[in-house]
Amino acid sequence: MAMAPSPSLVQVYTSPVAVAVWEWQDGLGTWHPYSATVCSFIEQQFVQQKGQRFGLGSLAHSIPLGQADPSLAPYIIDLPSWTQFRQDTGTMRAVRRHLFPQHSAPGRGVVWEWLSDDGSWTAYEASVCDYLEQQVARGNQLVDLAPLGYNYTVNYTTHTQTNKTSSFCRSVRRQAGPPYPVTTIIAPPGHTGVACSCHQCLSGSRTGPVSGRYRHSMTNLPAYPAPQHPPHRTASVFGTHQAFAPYNKPSLSGARSAPRLNTTNPWGAAPPSLGSQPVYRSSLSHLGPQHLPPGSSTSGAVDCIICMEKLSAASGYSDVTDCKAIGPLAVGRLTKCSHAFHLLCLLAMYCNGNKDGSLQCPSCKTIYGEKTGTQPQGKMEVLRFQMSLPGHEDCGTILIVYSIPHGIQGPEHPNPGKPFTARGFPRQCYLPDNAQGRKVLELLKVAWKRRLIFTVGTSSTTGETDTVVWNEIHHKTEMDRNVTGHGYPDPNYLQNVLAELAAQGVTEDCLEQQ
């Protein structure tokens, strides 16, 4: 079985170059590496167009694989969508680019393969090949692939793969061939870390990787995620925080009453009248909103950051609602954070959300009620094993496996009734099996139950719409390297992910309530 890595194998990969492996995904979600020769051709084309992306052009071209291997003549890779397209059948497959250190198995041209039912040899995905090579180098003759999400063991002595459930065996072999291509890690101008276009890194910024830090090592992470700016709304800056109007003006013809929150009253106490505006208690009695009197410091020159109008003026949403219970000048203040907004604006914000009984202050992100998300149905599994993570050599490792199938979007999703895709599942994520890692695990379980880990949207990596993407809670998807910033060591990760969970309303208080 796997042993803890020796110190010589636990190191941060800081070289400006890496080994690139391109892989395609079959219909069962398994990744298959292209040959080293084909990868060299793809990488050469990619590097040229990647440079254009951060320069004068964009990733607007396709890569014909037949130029590298005549047997692949029907296939092209479309870079803007990160898909492999078969021209004679129209079949589309997801592709990905995986970076490895130069001393890794792909860097040395080592490929592990298993014997399929038709007698042909099929290569394991590159990360499995590298993991097998590491374990064999450490003297482990029996390697469990559970840390990578597979239900198999590989016996190096007998060269067999065994299904741990059915005990079915297959032959495996180790092949040495040409090394996979060495490439330069490209970062966009002004970016000091390693470049990345994954949805985890771009979820907080539509304009590219976060600058000023080494990707997921978020030393200066704020207490809540930075708001995103739709192109049609203006934003103004107050100090270090951004005020913004995040919502389209919806049709609120059906929004005739204020939401009923599923927790204690977030509003101030007894509501006085606001000038000539009457207080409509029929629908707000449950909330008991505190209307701010005219002439108060808050209701004067301060903007409502939802509609960007003055609090002393009518709500910017008063022209799109026929709600009779709330006047256009009605203003309320949230009790915990004391931020004030037009009540119609808060109603618009609520009606554009999940309508789950929770409300999140658009200014400081304080959550009232229990926030839930739009994560599709799936399964979260947890395993433990003894191998240590780099930077956490004093404990074992927790493996989280998320599984979400393709499905149909519900009413809470962007396009109800339309199919959504779930690329790259099952997804494996890693935590150190120490006190803080276990706390993060329990909070992630809460976030999973509240449907906050994933959502349905547009992938920042591939541009694909109506697909399952990460939802602003970063996960470590690589175990033993930090080439792309998705692995270990990362001394700031656990503290940062706790802050991200708290920004979603998932804190230690949630564990005490269970």
Side-chain angles (χ1 to χ4, degrees), residues 166-200:
S166 66
S167 299
F168 184 81
C169 290
R170 295 183 183 274
S171 296
V172 300
R173 69 181 185 183
R174 177 183 183 273
Q175 294 288 94
Y180 278 78
V182 175
T183 187
T184 301
I185 299 175
I186 301 175
H191 177 53
T192 59
V194 179
C196 179
S197 56
C198 79
H199 199 89
Q200 292 200 78

PDB file of all heavy atoms in Angstrom, residues 166-200:
ATOM      1  N   SER A 166     -15.099  -6.561  -7.707  1.00  0.00           N
ATOM      2  CA  SER A 166     -15.384  -7.820  -8.409  1.00  0.00           C
ATOM      3  C   SER A 166     -14.214  -8.783  -8.429  1.00  0.00           C
ATOM      4  O   SER A 166     -14.379  -9.952  -8.799  1.00  0.00           O
ATOM      5  CB  SER A 166     -15.796  -7.515  -9.852  1.00  0.00           C
ATOM      6  OG  SER A 166     -14.703  -6.947 -10.573  1.00  0.00           O
ATOM      7  N   SER A 167     -13.001  -8.309  -8.060  1.00  0.00           N
ATOM      8  CA  SER A 167     -11.761  -9.106  -8.101  1.00  0.00           C
ATOM      9  C   SER A 167     -11.350  -9.473  -9.527  1.00  0.00           C
ATOM     10  O   SER A 167     -10.476 -10.315  -9.724  1.00  0.00           O
ATOM     11  CB  SER A 167     -11.893 -10.388  -7.260  1.00  0.00           C
ATOM     12  OG  SER A 167     -12.149 -10.068  -5.906  1.00  0.00           O
ATOM     13  N   PHE A 168     -11.965  -8.838 -10.534  1.00  0.00           N
ATOM     14  CA  PHE A 168     -11.592  -9.106 -11.916  1.00  0.00           C
ATOM     15  C   PHE A 168     -10.210  -8.529 -12.200  1.00  0.00           C
ATOM     16  O   PHE A 168      -9.915  -7.393 -11.830  1.00  0.00           O
ATOM     17  CB  PHE A 168     -12.623  -8.500 -12.870  1.00  0.00           C
ATOM     18  CG  PHE A 168     -12.370  -8.810 -14.316  1.00  0.00           C
ATOM     19  CD1 PHE A 168     -12.753 -10.018 -14.857  1.00  0.00           C
ATOM     20  CD2 PHE A 168     -11.729  -7.889 -15.130  1.00  0.00           C
ATOM     21  CE1 PHE A 168     -12.518 -10.306 -16.199  1.00  0.00           C
ATOM     22  CE2 PHE A 168     -11.482  -8.163 -16.468  1.00  0.00           C
ATOM     23  CZ  PHE A 168     -11.886  -9.376 -17.009  1.00  0.00           C
ATOM     24  N   CYS A 169      -9.369  -9.317 -12.872  1.00  0.00           N
ATOM     25  CA  CYS A 169      -7.986  -8.906 -13.141  1.00  0.00           C
ATOM     26  C   CYS A 169      -7.763  -8.622 -14.618  1.00  0.00           C
ATOM     27  O   CYS A 169      -8.358  -9.279 -15.488  1.00  0.00           O
ATOM     28  CB  CYS A 169      -7.003  -9.991 -12.694  1.00  0.00           C
ATOM     29  SG  CYS A 169      -6.891 -10.188 -10.903  1.00  0.00           S
ATOM     30  N   ARG A 170      -6.919  -7.664 -14.875  1.00  0.00           N
ATOM     31  CA  ARG A 170      -6.437  -7.363 -16.224  1.00  0.00           C
ATOM     32  C   ARG A 170      -4.924  -7.244 -16.189  1.00  0.00           C
ATOM     33  O   ARG A 170      -4.340  -6.910 -15.160  1.00  0.00           O
ATOM     34  CB  ARG A 170      -7.016  -6.051 -16.747  1.00  0.00           C
ATOM     35  CG  ARG A 170      -8.515  -6.037 -16.970  1.00  0.00           C
ATOM     36  CD  ARG A 170      -8.937  -4.693 -17.560  1.00  0.00           C
ATOM     37  NE  ARG A 170     -10.383  -4.594 -17.727  1.00  0.00           N
ATOM     38  CZ  ARG A 170     -11.044  -5.024 -18.796  1.00  0.00           C
ATOM     39  NH1 ARG A 170     -10.359  -5.590 -19.786  1.00  0.00           N
ATOM     40  NH2 ARG A 170     -12.355  -4.893 -18.885  1.00  0.00           N
ATOM     41  N   SER A 171      -4.333  -7.476 -17.329  1.00  0.00           N
ATOM     42  CA  SER A 171      -2.891  -7.303 -17.433  1.00  0.00           C
ATOM     43  C   SER A 171      -2.566  -5.815 -17.586  1.00  0.00           C
ATOM     44  O   SER A 171      -3.326  -5.053 -18.195  1.00  0.00           O
ATOM     45  CB  SER A 171      -2.340  -8.073 -18.637  1.00  0.00           C
ATOM     46  OG  SER A 171      -2.530  -9.468 -18.469  1.00  0.00           O
ATOM     47  N   VAL A 172      -1.424  -5.407 -17.028  1.00  0.00           N
ATOM     48  CA  VAL A 172      -0.924  -4.048 -17.208  1.00  0.00           C
ATOM     49  C   VAL A 172       0.536  -4.130 -17.647  1.00  0.00           C
ATOM     50  O   VAL A 172       1.198  -5.164 -17.458  1.00  0.00           O
ATOM     51  CB  VAL A 172      -1.040  -3.215 -15.917  1.00  0.00           C
ATOM     52  CG1 VAL A 172      -2.496  -3.112 -15.466  1.00  0.00           C
ATOM     53  CG2 VAL A 172      -0.179  -3.787 -14.806  1.00  0.00           C
ATOM     54  N   ARG A 173       1.011  -3.059 -18.226  1.00  0.00           N
ATOM     55  CA  ARG A 173       2.413  -3.018 -18.616  1.00  0.00           C
ATOM     56  C   ARG A 173       2.925  -1.589 -18.530  1.00  0.00           C
ATOM     57  O   ARG A 173       2.165  -0.634 -18.565  1.00  0.00           O
ATOM     58  CB  ARG A 173       2.622  -3.568 -20.022  1.00  0.00           C
ATOM     59  CG  ARG A 173       2.052  -2.693 -21.138  1.00  0.00           C
ATOM     60  CD  ARG A 173       2.280  -3.333 -22.503  1.00  0.00           C
ATOM     61  NE  ARG A 173       1.850  -2.446 -23.586  1.00  0.00           N
ATOM     62  CZ  ARG A 173       1.891  -2.780 -24.881  1.00  0.00           C
ATOM     63  NH1 ARG A 173       2.348  -3.985 -25.242  1.00  0.00           N
ATOM     64  NH2 ARG A 173       1.502  -1.917 -25.811  1.00  0.00           N
ATOM     65  N   ARG A 174       4.248  -1.514 -18.407  1.00  0.00           N
ATOM     66  CA  ARG A 174       4.928  -0.218 -18.344  1.00  0.00           C
ATOM     67  C   ARG A 174       5.734  -0.043 -19.620  1.00  0.00           C
ATOM     68  O   ARG A 174       6.582  -0.866 -19.951  1.00  0.00           O
ATOM     69  CB  ARG A 174       5.854  -0.167 -17.124  1.00  0.00           C
ATOM     70  CG  ARG A 174       6.671   1.107 -16.973  1.00  0.00           C
ATOM     71  CD  ARG A 174       7.596   0.980 -15.759  1.00  0.00           C
ATOM     72  NE  ARG A 174       8.366   2.186 -15.514  1.00  0.00           N
ATOM     73  CZ  ARG A 174       9.551   2.462 -16.074  1.00  0.00           C
ATOM     74  NH1 ARG A 174      10.084   1.592 -16.943  1.00  0.00           N
ATOM     75  NH2 ARG A 174      10.184   3.579 -15.792  1.00  0.00           N
ATOM     76  N   GLN A 175       5.450   1.065 -20.338  1.00  0.00           N
ATOM     77  CA  GLN A 175       6.098   1.326 -21.610  1.00  0.00           C
ATOM     78  C   GLN A 175       6.948   2.591 -21.510  1.00  0.00           C
ATOM     79  O   GLN A 175       6.534   3.578 -20.895  1.00  0.00           O
ATOM     80  CB  GLN A 175       5.063   1.508 -22.722  1.00  0.00           C
ATOM     81  CG  GLN A 175       4.245   0.265 -23.044  1.00  0.00           C
ATOM     82  CD  GLN A 175       5.052  -0.789 -23.758  1.00  0.00           C
ATOM     83  OE1 GLN A 175       5.604  -1.696 -23.118  1.00  0.00           O
ATOM     84  NE2 GLN A 175       5.145  -0.694 -25.066  1.00  0.00           N
ATOM     85  N   ALA A 176       8.117   2.548 -22.118  1.00  0.00           N
ATOM     86  CA  ALA A 176       8.996   3.717 -22.171  1.00  0.00           C
ATOM     87  C   ALA A 176       9.094   4.176 -23.619  1.00  0.00           C
ATOM     88  O   ALA A 176       9.417   3.391 -24.512  1.00  0.00           O
ATOM     89  CB  ALA A 176      10.377   3.386 -21.624  1.00  0.00           C
ATOM     90  N   GLY A 177       8.772   5.439 -23.857  1.00  0.00           N
ATOM     91  CA  GLY A 177       8.808   5.987 -25.203  1.00  0.00           C
ATOM     92  C   GLY A 177       9.355   7.395 -25.196  1.00  0.00           C
ATOM     93  O   GLY A 177      10.032   7.807 -24.240  1.00  0.00           O
ATOM     94  N   PRO A 178       9.071   8.149 -26.222  1.00  0.00           N
ATOM     95  CA  PRO A 178       9.567   9.533 -26.266  1.00  0.00           C
ATOM     96  C   PRO A 178       8.924  10.359 -25.164  1.00  0.00           C
ATOM     97  O   PRO A 178       7.749  10.167 -24.822  1.00  0.00           O
ATOM     98  CB  PRO A 178       9.151  10.025 -27.657  1.00  0.00           C
ATOM     99  CG  PRO A 178       8.020   9.127 -28.060  1.00  0.00           C
ATOM    100  CD  PRO A 178       8.305   7.803 -27.442  1.00  0.00           C
ATOM    101  N   PRO A 179       9.652  11.293 -24.580  1.00  0.00           N
ATOM    102  CA  PRO A 179       9.078  12.137 -23.523  1.00  0.00           C
ATOM    103  C   PRO A 179       8.027  13.075 -24.075  1.00  0.00           C
ATOM    104  O   PRO A 179       8.039  13.435 -25.254  1.00  0.00           O
ATOM    105  CB  PRO A 179      10.289  12.905 -22.984  1.00  0.00           C
ATOM    106  CG  PRO A 179      11.269  12.915 -24.116  1.00  0.00           C
ATOM    107  CD  PRO A 179      11.065  11.627 -24.851  1.00  0.00           C
ATOM    108  N   TYR A 180       7.127  13.479 -23.215  1.00  0.00           N
ATOM    109  CA  TYR A 180       6.114  14.458 -23.594  1.00  0.00           C
ATOM    110  C   TYR A 180       6.757  15.843 -23.655  1.00  0.00           C
ATOM    111  O   TYR A 180       7.811  16.085 -23.057  1.00  0.00           O
ATOM    112  CB  TYR A 180       4.945  14.409 -22.604  1.00  0.00           C
ATOM    113  CG  TYR A 180       3.974  13.292 -22.912  1.00  0.00           C
ATOM    114  CD1 TYR A 180       4.265  11.978 -22.560  1.00  0.00           C
ATOM    115  CD2 TYR A 180       2.786  13.551 -23.588  1.00  0.00           C
ATOM    116  CE1 TYR A 180       3.386  10.940 -22.862  1.00  0.00           C
ATOM    117  CE2 TYR A 180       1.901  12.535 -23.893  1.00  0.00           C
ATOM    118  CZ  TYR A 180       2.202  11.227 -23.537  1.00  0.00           C
ATOM    119  OH  TYR A 180       1.338  10.210 -23.856  1.00  0.00           O
ATOM    120  N   PRO A 181       6.158  16.772 -24.368  1.00  0.00           N
ATOM    121  CA  PRO A 181       6.827  18.054 -24.667  1.00  0.00           C
ATOM    122  C   PRO A 181       7.030  18.924 -23.429  1.00  0.00           C
ATOM    123  O   PRO A 181       6.160  19.027 -22.563  1.00  0.00           O
ATOM    124  CB  PRO A 181       5.878  18.720 -25.662  1.00  0.00           C
ATOM    125  CG  PRO A 181       4.535  18.123 -25.360  1.00  0.00           C
ATOM    126  CD  PRO A 181       4.815  16.703 -24.983  1.00  0.00           C
ATOM    127  N   VAL A 182       8.186  19.549 -23.395  1.00  0.00           N
ATOM    128  CA  VAL A 182       8.485  20.557 -22.379  1.00  0.00           C
ATOM    129  C   VAL A 182       7.988  21.899 -22.906  1.00  0.00           C
ATOM    130  O   VAL A 182       8.215  22.249 -24.073  1.00  0.00           O
ATOM    131  CB  VAL A 182       9.990  20.621 -22.080  1.00  0.00           C
ATOM    132  CG1 VAL A 182      10.299  21.757 -21.111  1.00  0.00           C
ATOM    133  CG2 VAL A 182      10.467  19.291 -21.509  1.00  0.00           C
ATOM    134  N   THR A 183       7.305  22.639 -22.053  1.00  0.00           N
ATOM    135  CA  THR A 183       6.712  23.899 -22.491  1.00  0.00           C
ATOM    136  C   THR A 183       6.977  24.980 -21.460  1.00  0.00           C
ATOM    137  O   THR A 183       7.231  24.686 -20.283  1.00  0.00           O
ATOM    138  CB  THR A 183       5.191  23.741 -22.708  1.00  0.00           C
ATOM    139  OG1 THR A 183       4.672  24.943 -23.287  1.00  0.00           O
ATOM    140  CG2 THR A 183       4.473  23.480 -21.393  1.00  0.00           C
ATOM    141  N   THR A 184       6.924  26.202 -21.880  1.00  0.00           N
ATOM    142  CA  THR A 184       7.066  27.336 -20.980  1.00  0.00           C
ATOM    143  C   THR A 184       5.711  27.677 -20.384  1.00  0.00           C
ATOM    144  O   THR A 184       4.705  27.727 -21.096  1.00  0.00           O
ATOM    145  CB  THR A 184       7.609  28.569 -21.733  1.00  0.00           C
ATOM    146  OG1 THR A 184       8.878  28.231 -22.302  1.00  0.00           O
ATOM    147  CG2 THR A 184       7.783  29.746 -20.795  1.00  0.00           C
ATOM    148  N   ILE A 185       5.669  27.892 -19.071  1.00  0.00           N
ATOM    149  CA  ILE A 185       4.433  28.298 -18.414  1.00  0.00           C
ATOM    150  C   ILE A 185       4.183  29.757 -18.740  1.00  0.00           C
ATOM    151  O   ILE A 185       4.983  30.626 -18.401  1.00  0.00           O
ATOM    152  CB  ILE A 185       4.516  28.092 -16.892  1.00  0.00           C
ATOM    153  CG1 ILE A 185       4.751  26.607 -16.580  1.00  0.00           C
ATOM    154  CG2 ILE A 185       3.271  28.593 -16.208  1.00  0.00           C
ATOM    155  CD1 ILE A 185       4.964  26.323 -15.119  1.00  0.00           C
ATOM    156  N   ILE A 186       3.074  30.013 -19.408  1.00  0.00           N
ATOM    157  CA  ILE A 186       2.778  31.357 -19.907  1.00  0.00           C
ATOM    158  C   ILE A 186       1.842  32.069 -18.953  1.00  0.00           C
ATOM    159  O   ILE A 186       0.843  31.523 -18.532  1.00  0.00           O
ATOM    160  CB  ILE A 186       2.141  31.288 -21.309  1.00  0.00           C
ATOM    161  CG1 ILE A 186       3.090  30.588 -22.285  1.00  0.00           C
ATOM    162  CG2 ILE A 186       1.766  32.673 -21.806  1.00  0.00           C
ATOM    163  CD1 ILE A 186       2.485  30.378 -23.649  1.00  0.00           C
ATOM    164  N   ALA A 187       2.190  33.282 -18.609  1.00  0.00           N
ATOM    165  CA  ALA A 187       1.303  34.117 -17.791  1.00  0.00           C
ATOM    166  C   ALA A 187       0.952  35.371 -18.576  1.00  0.00           C
ATOM    167  O   ALA A 187       1.758  35.874 -19.354  1.00  0.00           O
ATOM    168  CB  ALA A 187       1.980  34.494 -16.480  1.00  0.00           C
ATOM    169  N   PRO A 188      -0.240  35.917 -18.412  1.00  0.00           N
ATOM    170  CA  PRO A 188      -0.604  37.141 -19.112  1.00  0.00           C
ATOM    171  C   PRO A 188       0.196  38.312 -18.597  1.00  0.00           C
ATOM    172  O   PRO A 188       0.707  38.282 -17.484  1.00  0.00           O
ATOM    173  CB  PRO A 188      -2.095  37.305 -18.781  1.00  0.00           C
ATOM    174  CG  PRO A 188      -2.277  36.563 -17.493  1.00  0.00           C
ATOM    175  CD  PRO A 188      -1.314  35.423 -17.551  1.00  0.00           C
ATOM    176  N   PRO A 189       0.325  39.376 -19.376  1.00  0.00           N
ATOM    177  CA  PRO A 189       1.091  40.540 -18.936  1.00  0.00           C
ATOM    178  C   PRO A 189       0.580  41.068 -17.609  1.00  0.00           C
ATOM    179  O   PRO A 189      -0.617  41.189 -17.388  1.00  0.00           O
ATOM    180  CB  PRO A 189       0.839  41.551 -20.074  1.00  0.00           C
ATOM    181  CG  PRO A 189       0.494  40.720 -21.263  1.00  0.00           C
ATOM    182  CD  PRO A 189      -0.234  39.532 -20.721  1.00  0.00           C
ATOM    183  N   GLY A 190       1.523  41.376 -16.712  1.00  0.00           N
ATOM    184  CA  GLY A 190       1.168  41.941 -15.419  1.00  0.00           C
ATOM    185  C   GLY A 190       0.800  40.918 -14.373  1.00  0.00           C
ATOM    186  O   GLY A 190       0.542  41.271 -13.232  1.00  0.00           O
ATOM    187  N   HIS A 191       0.753  39.636 -14.750  1.00  0.00           N
ATOM    188  CA  HIS A 191       0.378  38.591 -13.797  1.00  0.00           C
ATOM    189  C   HIS A 191       1.644  37.969 -13.239  1.00  0.00           C
ATOM    190  O   HIS A 191       2.498  37.511 -13.970  1.00  0.00           O
ATOM    191  CB  HIS A 191      -0.466  37.529 -14.508  1.00  0.00           C
ATOM    192  CG  HIS A 191      -0.839  36.379 -13.624  1.00  0.00           C
ATOM    193  ND1 HIS A 191      -1.455  36.553 -12.419  1.00  0.00           N
ATOM    194  CD2 HIS A 191      -0.670  35.054 -13.781  1.00  0.00           C
ATOM    195  CE1 HIS A 191      -1.668  35.376 -11.862  1.00  0.00           C
ATOM    196  NE2 HIS A 191      -1.198  34.446 -12.670  1.00  0.00           N
ATOM    197  N   THR A 192       1.781  37.928 -11.925  1.00  0.00           N
ATOM    198  CA  THR A 192       3.015  37.471 -11.303  1.00  0.00           C
ATOM    199  C   THR A 192       2.980  36.017 -10.919  1.00  0.00           C
ATOM    200  O   THR A 192       3.995  35.462 -10.550  1.00  0.00           O
ATOM    201  CB  THR A 192       3.303  38.305 -10.041  1.00  0.00           C
ATOM    202  OG1 THR A 192       2.198  38.176  -9.128  1.00  0.00           O
ATOM    203  CG2 THR A 192       3.498  39.764 -10.396  1.00  0.00           C
ATOM    204  N   GLY A 193       1.825  35.368 -10.969  1.00  0.00           N
ATOM    205  CA  GLY A 193       1.737  33.965 -10.610  1.00  0.00           C
ATOM    206  C   GLY A 193       1.684  33.103 -11.848  1.00  0.00           C
ATOM    207  O   GLY A 193       1.916  33.535 -12.967  1.00  0.00           O
ATOM    208  N   VAL A 194       1.364  31.814 -11.645  1.00  0.00           N
ATOM    209  CA  VAL A 194       1.234  30.891 -12.757  1.00  0.00           C
ATOM    210  C   VAL A 194      -0.118  31.102 -13.409  1.00  0.00           C
ATOM    211  O   VAL A 194      -1.132  31.191 -12.743  1.00  0.00           O
ATOM    212  CB  VAL A 194       1.357  29.440 -12.249  1.00  0.00           C
ATOM    213  CG1 VAL A 194       1.204  28.475 -13.411  1.00  0.00           C
ATOM    214  CG2 VAL A 194       2.699  29.242 -11.574  1.00  0.00           C
ATOM    215  N   ALA A 195      -0.143  31.185 -14.739  1.00  0.00           N
ATOM    216  CA  ALA A 195      -1.397  31.453 -15.430  1.00  0.00           C
ATOM    217  C   ALA A 195      -2.345  30.286 -15.316  1.00  0.00           C
ATOM    218  O   ALA A 195      -1.950  29.142 -15.374  1.00  0.00           O
ATOM    219  CB  ALA A 195      -1.120  31.738 -16.910  1.00  0.00           C
ATOM    220  N   CYS A 196      -3.621  30.576 -15.172  1.00  0.00           N
ATOM    221  CA  CYS A 196      -4.625  29.529 -15.112  1.00  0.00           C
ATOM    222  C   CYS A 196      -5.945  30.075 -15.618  1.00  0.00           C
ATOM    223  O   CYS A 196      -6.271  31.224 -15.394  1.00  0.00           O
ATOM    224  CB  CYS A 196      -4.805  29.016 -13.687  1.00  0.00           C
ATOM    225  SG  CYS A 196      -6.058  27.742 -13.531  1.00  0.00           S
ATOM    226  N   SER A 197      -6.694  29.230 -16.309  1.00  0.00           N
ATOM    227  CA  SER A 197      -8.005  29.653 -16.794  1.00  0.00           C
ATOM    228  C   SER A 197      -9.106  28.756 -16.254  1.00  0.00           C
ATOM    229  O   SER A 197     -10.168  28.665 -16.847  1.00  0.00           O
ATOM    230  CB  SER A 197      -8.016  29.630 -18.331  1.00  0.00           C
ATOM    231  OG  SER A 197      -7.669  28.347 -18.814  1.00  0.00           O
ATOM    232  N   CYS A 198      -8.851  28.053 -15.154  1.00  0.00           N
ATOM    233  CA  CYS A 198      -9.884  27.190 -14.592  1.00  0.00           C
ATOM    234  C   CYS A 198     -10.979  28.022 -13.945  1.00  0.00           C
ATOM    235  O   CYS A 198     -10.780  29.171 -13.575  1.00  0.00           O
ATOM    236  CB  CYS A 198      -9.289  26.225 -13.573  1.00  0.00           C
ATOM    237  SG  CYS A 198      -8.991  26.963 -11.962  1.00  0.00           S
ATOM    238  N   HIS A 199     -12.168  27.418 -13.804  1.00  0.00           N
ATOM    239  CA  HIS A 199     -13.292  28.171 -13.264  1.00  0.00           C
ATOM    240  C   HIS A 199     -13.075  28.541 -11.808  1.00  0.00           C
ATOM    241  O   HIS A 199     -13.570  29.550 -11.327  1.00  0.00           O
ATOM    242  CB  HIS A 199     -14.577  27.350 -13.410  1.00  0.00           C
ATOM    243  CG  HIS A 199     -15.801  28.197 -13.318  1.00  0.00           C
ATOM    244  ND1 HIS A 199     -16.365  28.801 -14.412  1.00  0.00           N
ATOM    245  CD2 HIS A 199     -16.556  28.584 -12.254  1.00  0.00           C
ATOM    246  CE1 HIS A 199     -17.429  29.501 -14.044  1.00  0.00           C
ATOM    247  NE2 HIS A 199     -17.573  29.389 -12.745  1.00  0.00           N
ATOM    248  N   GLN A 200     -12.295  27.719 -11.077  1.00  0.00           N
ATOM    249  CA  GLN A 200     -12.020  28.060  -9.683  1.00  0.00           C
ATOM    250  C   GLN A 200     -11.283  29.386  -9.593  1.00  0.00           C
ATOM    251  O   GLN A 200     -11.567  30.223  -8.733  1.00  0.00           O
ATOM    252  CB  GLN A 200     -11.185  26.968  -9.010  1.00  0.00           C
ATOM    253  CG  GLN A 200     -11.899  25.658  -8.807  1.00  0.00           C
ATOM    254  CD  GLN A 200     -11.216  24.837  -7.743  1.00  0.00           C
ATOM    255  OE1 GLN A 200     -11.369  25.074  -6.566  1.00  0.00           O
ATOM    256  NE2 GLN A 200     -10.459  23.850  -8.163  1.00  0.00           N
TER     257      GLN A 200
END
